[in-house]
Amino acid sequence: MLLNAEEIISKSWRDYVANWHDWAIYSLILFIPGFILMLSGSFGGFLNTYLPATAIATNILILVLVAVSAVMWFWSYLALTHAVGKFLQTKQTDHWKEHYSASLETFWPALYVSILKGLIVAIGTLLFLIPGIIFSVWYSFVLFGVVLGGERGWSAMKSSKNLVRGRWWGVLWRLLLPTFVFGVGIALFNIISVLIINVFPISSESNALLGNVISGLSSAIFTPLTTIAALNLYFSLKENPAPETLPAGL
């Protein structure tokens, strides 16, 4: 039977807490790109203000850092997906370097389907909001198909849509509720952290920087949790395929 939203939340939380030490390395590496961008943005602003002659070189350097950070973050997310997927299937995880190595083979196919999905959802949203929402649910699992199923291109898109076929509303609910619950947890973590920071007599600039660091850190810490939830749903859908007799449609 397909896991319901409450079961996805509870199972994902248990998987996350019981193996937090396995996910911590991915959280750290996911945090690094954002932290680099925060520092480079602040440093770039300082140079542009006090050394305007270096503005062109500074902006080029920041663009390079943005590109490198984006690649690093995406590769790390693929590695995390590979690690979580293997854990949910076998209850075992290899060394994090092995997951990075395995996910590197799927980097370009994963990037391609991510861009393809983004374009389709964007076009659907621009034409009319509802198609964009429909497409985003249909293609929620394309990356998982590439990283864990060895699928490529349109095949991954079609497989993701077939998982959702005939139960679009149920999948939407199973995506939204865990995201909302975990999102509330992240927001509370950030609010409490900001309140603690405000106790100390520091400048507004330092306060803002610390707030950004905490926000980025909390996002990185909880990314494994939201990934576990999405993969729990993905595997549940694969284990409980929609009947072939279902009519075409959502």
Side-chain angles (χ1 to χ4, degrees):
M1 181 180 293
L2 195 63
L3 291 173
N4 61 43
E6 293 78 9
E7 289 171 331
I8 291 172
I9 293 170
S10 60
K11 184 178 185 303
S12 300
W13 179 251
R14 290 196 304 270
D15 291 336
Y16 177 75
V17 171
N19 300 275
W20 65 269
H21 49 283
D22 289 320
W23 318 130
I25 182 63
Y26 301 99
S27 294
L28 175 61
I29 300 175
L30 284 166
F31 170 71
I32 291 173
F35 184 66
I36 291 174
L37 290 179
M38 278 186 278
L39 291 181
S40 63
S42 299
F43 185 64
F46 173 83
L47 289 180
N48 287 336
T49 300
Y50 296 100
L51 295 172
T54 65
I56 295 178
T58 300
N59 291 336
I60 292 174
L61 177 60
I62 290 175
L63 286 175
V64 171
L65 287 173
V66 168
V68 171
S69 297
V71 169
M72 183 179 178
W73 187 93
F74 188 65
W75 183 15
S76 295
Y77 183 72
L78 296 181
L80 171 64
T81 297
H82 192 271
V84 172
K86 181 168 183 178
F87 168 78
L88 293 179
Q89 290 176 303
T90 67
K91 299 304 177 184
Q92 296 179 347
T93 56
D94 296 324
H95 192 274
W96 63 272
K97 291 182 180 179
E98 295 186 29
H99 293 296
Y100 270 85
S101 178
S103 62
L104 184 59
E105 299 175 6
T106 64
F107 182 90
W108 292 113
L111 181 62
Y112 168 69
V113 296
S114 296
I115 294 172
L116 185 61
K117 172 190 172 182
L119 288 173
I120 291 174
V121 172
I123 292 171
T125 302
L126 289 174
L127 292 176
F128 193 64
L129 179 62
I130 300 302
I133 298 174
I134 293 172
F135 296 157
S136 67
V137 177
W138 277 353
Y139 304 126
S140 295
F141 309 104
V142 290
L143 271 184
F144 301 159
V146 173
V147 176
L148 301 171
E151 298 167 347
R152 296 293 184 268
W154 282 108
S155 175
M157 303 287 285
K158 183 179 179 181
S159 294
S160 179
K161 182 181 176 181
N162 286 339
L163 288 177
V164 180
R165 184 181 64 87
R167 42 192 180 180
W168 188 92
W169 289 104
V171 173
L172 176 64
W173 175 245
R174 288 167 172 82
L175 288 170
L176 286 181
L177 186 60
T179 300
F180 173 76
V181 171
F182 298 145
V184 169
I186 295 171
L188 289 175
F189 178 87
N190 288 338
I191 290 171
I192 293 172
S193 300
V194 169
L195 290 175
I196 293 173
I197 290 174
N198 288 337
V199 171
F200 298 96
I202 57 178
S203 67
S204 58
E205 292 80 8
S206 298
N207 191 302
L209 180 60
L210 279 174
N212 289 333
V213 169
I214 289 173
S215 178
L217 185 60
S218 65
S219 177
I221 289 172
F222 286 101
T223 294
L225 176 59
T226 56
T227 304
I228 292 170
L231 279 167
N232 271 321
L233 175 57
Y234 171 72
F235 285 123
S236 184
L237 289 168
K238 287 180 69 70
E239 293 165 4
N240 300 273
E244 293 294 331
T245 56
L246 281 175
L250 296 180

